[in-house]
Amino acid sequence: MTDFYSADSIENIDILVKEAIEMKQNPSLDSSPFKGKKMLLIFFNPSLRTRLSTEYAAKELGIHTISMNAAEGWKWEIEPGVIMNMDKAEHIKDAAKVVSQYVDIVAIRSFPGLKDREDDYRDELMQHFMEHAEVPVINMESSIFHPLQSLTDLMTIEENRIDQRPLKVVLSWAPHPRALPQAVSNSFLQWITRTDHAVTITHPEGYELKDEFTQGCAIDYDQQRAFKDADIIYTKNWSSYQQYGQILSEDQNWMINKKKMALTNQAKFMHCLPVRRNVVVTDGVMDSEQSVIYQQAGNRLHAAKHVIYKLLK
Ligand code: CP
């Protein structure tokens, strides 16, 4: 693994998940092996979990970190060969090569604009930065993928598995008042479909995700039918991929509640957070025995730690 960009960066997802859980269970195995190394985290968008978990993961490995909020000041030119006489003051090629002189590893968060689908799905900022950087690059949520979240999600599913039979995993859309990216859902599907679990996706018509990520999954527009006998309910809102970036429905009938959870096989409830309580999911589900949201959020630290360890080892 040279960069951590998506599931395609990983040779064997089952092994990576297993190793990350082992590292969590044996923290002494990794005591400060990278003392003297430096890490830069660049945020073009805000974060609570990703920033704290990735920074602390690096610190626990003995790495010195700096986080930069780049939302306001920086506009990198991405296209090669352009005459840079407009508002963009630095080319991404120069930024990536300069940063590589200072630090041993870089992590970047950059959300999509949700206006131009083709542009967003080229994921150019991440792609060009990885192309020009001379050190490993971690995707901390790009326009289309959130792989640190997905590793966390699979660790949490594995930790809650009571036997080795493949589970019924349901990815359920839920309403939200703002247009959100598809990155968490794309990424979750990209990772979970490479395991032995059976995946069902449920959402209102018009919310179909890109075919590439839904291959091998059942799609059911009836949420209650999809929940039947589920072992895992993973909930996430996303804006439409087909009518790109649009909110097509805010139907509160899609909110996750205890009545729907009762249809499942005592399923665990998962969400990447942040979540809007009583819009996406009721307090009753969030605070129930079935909810593993805090374990899931806690695993962000262990997932990030294992990824940094693998990249610098
Ligand atoms: N789940 C997640 O990425 O949370 P943050 O946006 O707070 O980092």
Side-chain angles (χ1 to χ4, degrees):
M1 186 161 69
T2 49
D3 297 305
F4 186 71
Y5 170 67
S6 75
D8 293 332
S9 312
I10 315 303
E11 226 169 89
N12 186 315
I13 282 180
D14 288 331
I15 292 176
L16 187 75
V17 170
K18 191 167 161 276
E19 286 174 350
I21 293 173
E22 275 169 14
M23 198 175 197
K24 174 181 173 179
Q25 290 166 345
N26 300 288
S28 59
L29 290 180
D30 56 65
S31 54
S32 302
F34 304 119
K35 206 166 179 326
K37 299 270 186 203
K38 289 163 280 176
M39 180 172 188
L40 172 65
L41 296 89
I42 305 173
F43 288 91
F44 288 92
N45 307 93
S47 166
L48 175 71
R49 279 144 290 272
T50 305
R51 178 165 177 172
L52 288 177
S53 60
T54 312
E55 268 208 55
Y56 278 120
K59 285 180 196 301
E60 284 187 18
L61 293 167
I63 300 164
H64 180 80
T65 63
I66 293 183
S67 285
M68 298 180 89
N69 292 325
E72 293 306 315
W74 290 356
K75 281 190 183 149
W76 286 338
E77 179 57 63
I78 286 173
E79 296 304 318
V82 292
I83 299 169
M84 288 174 55
N85 60 357
M86 300 298 279
D87 61 331
K88 293 174 181 161
E90 179 146 33
H91 201 281
I92 195 165
K93 177 177 182 173
D94 301 322
K97 291 203 178 293
V98 168
V99 161
S100 303
Q101 308 301 309
Y102 303 141
V103 300
D104 302 283
I105 184 165
V106 182
I108 301 180
R109 164 167 284 199
S110 174
F111 289 174
L114 290 179
K115 289 190 171 64
D116 180 333
R117 185 171 81 180
E118 277 61 44
D119 188 36
D120 284 348
Y121 271 69
R122 279 194 293 273
D123 216 2
E124 285 186 317
L125 189 135
M126 285 300 304
Q127 293 291 349
H128 286 293
F129 198 92
M130 287 190 297
E131 179 190 342
H132 297 299
E134 290 155 10
V135 295
V137 178
I138 296 178
N139 178 356
M140 293 194 296
E141 189 173 346
S142 69
S143 295
I144 52 173
F145 294 125
H146 195 355
L148 285 172
Q149 184 64 54
S150 306
L151 174 57
T152 301
D153 298 338
L154 267 61
M155 287 172 68
T156 310
I157 290 173
E158 197 57 32
E159 286 175 336
N160 282 285
R161 202 169 175 175
I162 48 178
D163 56 43
Q164 286 311 300
R165 75 179 164 83
L167 303 177
K168 179 178 177 183
V169 176
V170 175
L171 171 64
S172 180
W173 181 93
H176 197 284
R178 293 188 57 210
L180 298 186
Q182 294 118 29
V184 169
S185 308
N186 289 344
S187 223
F188 181 68
L189 292 173
Q190 205 196 30
W191 284 63
I192 197 79
T193 54
R194 294 176 193 204
T195 69
D196 61 354
H197 302 308
V199 184
T200 298
I201 312 168
T202 183
H203 53 70
E205 288 189 49
Y207 278 99
E208 292 78 7
L209 291 160
K210 192 176 187 202
D211 285 350
E212 175 188 341
F213 305 120
T214 61
Q215 298 287 321
C217 304
I219 297 177
D220 196 333
Y221 300 120
D222 183 330
Q223 191 189 36
Q224 302 209 16
R225 188 170 57 203
F227 273 39
K228 197 166 177 319
D229 299 327
D231 299 295
I232 300 288
I233 300 294
Y234 194 104
T235 301
K236 183 72 185 84
N237 171 272
W238 60 89
S239 57
S240 174
Y241 173 75
Q242 309 295 338
Q243 295 178 59
Y244 191 64
Q246 300 296 305
I247 297 174
L248 308 180
S249 168
E250 290 188 61
D251 185 353
Q252 288 297 297
N253 290 318
W254 278 81
M255 188 182 352
I256 313 301
N257 59 28
K258 285 192 116 173
K259 208 168 146 199
K260 291 177 192 171
M261 290 301 290
L263 301 169
T264 69
N265 180 29
Q266 297 180 309
K268 299 298 181 196
F269 173 78
M270 298 179 67
H271 191 286
C272 62
L273 304 182
V275 69
R276 292 193 183 221
R277 283 173 174 251
N278 305 309
V279 174
V280 172
V281 51
T282 61
D283 282 333
V285 173
M286 284 286 285
D287 302 326
S288 70
E289 290 286 309
Q290 284 169 267
S291 171
V292 293
I293 51 169
Y294 303 128
Q295 178 186 356
Q296 187 183 359
N299 276 336
R300 289 295 307 268
L301 176 71
H302 304 288
K305 199 165 163 183
H306 191 59
V307 167
I308 297 167
Y309 179 83
K310 293 280 281 187
L311 287 170
L312 288 182
K313 189 159 62 102

